[in-house]
């Protein structure tokens, strides 16, 4: 009986010890989660100090920040340019990738940017980021004939961002970003290009240009084209052409039709070396 009682006591002590370990581990887990929520986020790049996120953009764009001197901001601008560049490149490539996956959305203002000293939170205005994001998505999905428009939009937005922070932009972003990665399948865009080209060709053949070359007259000049020319006008033009020096009577085989001039009308043919088919009709007063 004593042996059985001692065995039960030993098992009870062991279970109590295991329960205490479990409770201590659970308590540490709950406490650590609360401690991380209360701890402010830290950044490993100490060069910018307290400037990160939107205050960093405000300081670089010229807005006064309490406790930050203008001289310090001017000294930090050369170090801020790589941060701004990576932010723009990441947003453009994000739009390009989302267009490939069919998951287009809205870019976020904040983004963690790696630096040689660690990482830094960058913030850019949403309307500029949306334009850069859209340029990346359109670069993948639109036909190649719209490349010039996308290039102009991208260079314009990036130039505005650099002008806001007072940094010179030496190389346009379109020169480095608007290059399709190797292995990207854009066959559907090429098919759309071929379809649009075929449609344009068929439309141009169906509707010829009104400025197409006209047949030449026997005198070597382009025959005048007028809609609804009356017989009297044709006869006058033929008579004028026949009266020109060096013109043969066979130049115009069709005889000039007869026409009558009303009593209240007088027809004056004024010579015009540039256009032989022009005429001036003056109505006599009643």
């Amino acid at each position: 009986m004593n042996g059985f009682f001692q065995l039960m006591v030993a098992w009870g002590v062991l279970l109590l010890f295991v329960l205490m370990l479990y409770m201590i581990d659970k308590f540490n887990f709950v406490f650590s989660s609360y401690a991380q929520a209360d701890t402010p986020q830290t950044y490993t790049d100490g060069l910018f100090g307290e400037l990160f996120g939107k205050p960093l953009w405000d300081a670089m764009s010229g807005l006064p920040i309490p406790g930050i001197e203008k001289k310090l901001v001017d000294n930090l601008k050369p170090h801020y340019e790589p941060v701004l560049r990576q932010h723009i490149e990441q947003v453009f490539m994000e739009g390009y990738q989302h267009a490939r996956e069919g998951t287009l959305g809205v870019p976020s203002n904040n983004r963690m940017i790696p630096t040689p000293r660690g990482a830094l939170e960058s913030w850019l205005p949403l309307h500029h980021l949306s334009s850069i994001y859209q340029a990346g998505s359109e670069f993948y999905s639109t036909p190649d004939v719209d490349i010039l428009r996308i290039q102009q939009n991208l260079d314009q937005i990036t130039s505005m961002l650099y002008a806001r922070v007072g940094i010179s932009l030496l190389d346009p972003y379109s020169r480095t970003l608007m290059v399709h990665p190797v292995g990207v399948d854009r066959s559907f865009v090429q098919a759309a290009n071929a379809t649009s080209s075929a449609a344009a060709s068929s439309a141009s053949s169906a509707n010829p240009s009104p400025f197409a070359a006209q047949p030449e007259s026997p005198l070597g000049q382009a025959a005048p084209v007028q809609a609804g020319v009356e017989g009297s006008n044709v006869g006058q033009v033929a008579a004028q052409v026949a009266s020109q020096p060096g013109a043969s009577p066979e130049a115009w085989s069709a005889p000039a039709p007869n026409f009558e001039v009303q009593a209240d009308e007088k027809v004056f043919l004024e010579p015009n070396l540039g256009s032989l088919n022009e005429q001036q009709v003056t109505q006599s007063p009643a």
Side-chain angles (χ1 to χ4, degrees):
M1 186 66 182
N2 292 335
F4 179 79
F5 179 78
Q6 292 177 356
L7 183 61
M8 291 296 295
V9 171
W11 277 104
V13 172
L14 181 61
L15 291 176
L16 182 61
F17 180 76
V18 173
L19 181 61
M20 289 178 60
L21 292 178
Y22 174 79
M23 293 301 297
I24 292 173
D25 182 74
K26 194 70 174 177
F27 179 80
N28 290 335
F29 176 79
V30 175
F31 178 79
S32 62
S33 62
Y34 279 104
Q36 289 180 1
D38 296 336
T39 302
Q41 190 175 9
T42 58
Y43 303 95
T44 55
D45 191 347
L47 179 63
F48 293 88
E50 299 178 356
L51 293 177
F52 57 87
K54 191 176 186 300
L56 175 62
W57 166 258
D58 293 340
M60 293 299 160
S61 58
L63 297 180
I65 303 297
I68 304 298
E69 299 181 357
K70 184 179 182 301
K71 182 179 180 181
L72 176 61
V73 175
D74 295 338
N75 294 334
L76 289 176
K77 283 188 178 182
H79 303 281
Y80 178 71
E81 196 278 336
V83 177
L84 177 61
R85 177 172 294 275
Q86 291 187 67
H87 198 156
I88 294 174
E89 291 175 351
Q90 290 184 15
V91 172
F92 181 88
M93 295 308 300
E94 184 179 83
Y96 186 91
Q97 186 64 26
H98 286 179
R100 291 183 59 187
E101 299 172 354
T103 58
L104 294 177
V106 179
S108 176
N109 294 94
N110 299 72
R111 189 174 295 267
M112 293 299 299
I113 304 299
T115 64
R117 296 161 299 277
L120 181 67
E121 181 183 1
S122 176
W123 185 95
L124 291 179
L126 183 59
H127 56 283
H128 292 311
L129 288 180
S130 300
S131 300
I132 298 173
Y133 181 91
Q134 183 179 1
S137 63
E138 290 182 348
F139 180 57
Y140 171 78
S141 57
T142 57
D144 295 337
V145 294
D146 295 335
I147 292 299
L148 181 59
R149 176 184 59 82
I150 301 173
Q151 174 184 350
Q152 292 176 349
N153 293 339
L154 178 61
D155 290 339
Q156 181 180 5
I157 296 300
T158 52
S159 299
M160 291 174 59
L161 289 174
Y162 272 68
R164 286 282 302 274
V165 298
I167 301 177
S168 300
L169 180 59
L170 303 179
D171 193 17
Y173 275 81
S174 60
R175 186 174 301 177
T176 56
L177 290 181
M178 297 186 65
V179 178
H180 295 287
V182 178
V184 175
D185 183 17
R186 296 182 70 249
S187 56
F188 72 98
V189 178
Q190 297 175 0
N193 290 337
T195 303
S196 61
S197 300
S201 300
S202 61
S204 61
S205 61
N207 300 319
S209 174
F211 301 100
Q214 302 293 337
E216 293 187 353
S217 66
L219 296 181
Q221 298 181 350
V225 179
Q226 289 187 349
V229 178
E230 297 180 357
S232 60
N233 295 340
V234 176
Q236 296 174 10
V237 173
Q240 289 183 356
V241 173
S243 64
Q244 295 297 323
S248 61
E250 293 78 7
W252 290 67
S253 58
N258 297 326
F259 63 94
E260 297 181 358
V261 180
Q262 301 295 331
D264 58 345
E265 293 184 356
K266 294 181 180 180
V267 180
F268 298 93
L269 296 179
E270 297 182 359
N272 189 341
L273 300 179
S275 174
L276 296 179
N277 63 333
E278 293 184 359
Q279 60 179 337
Q280 179 178 1
V281 179
T282 306
Q283 300 289 341
S284 63

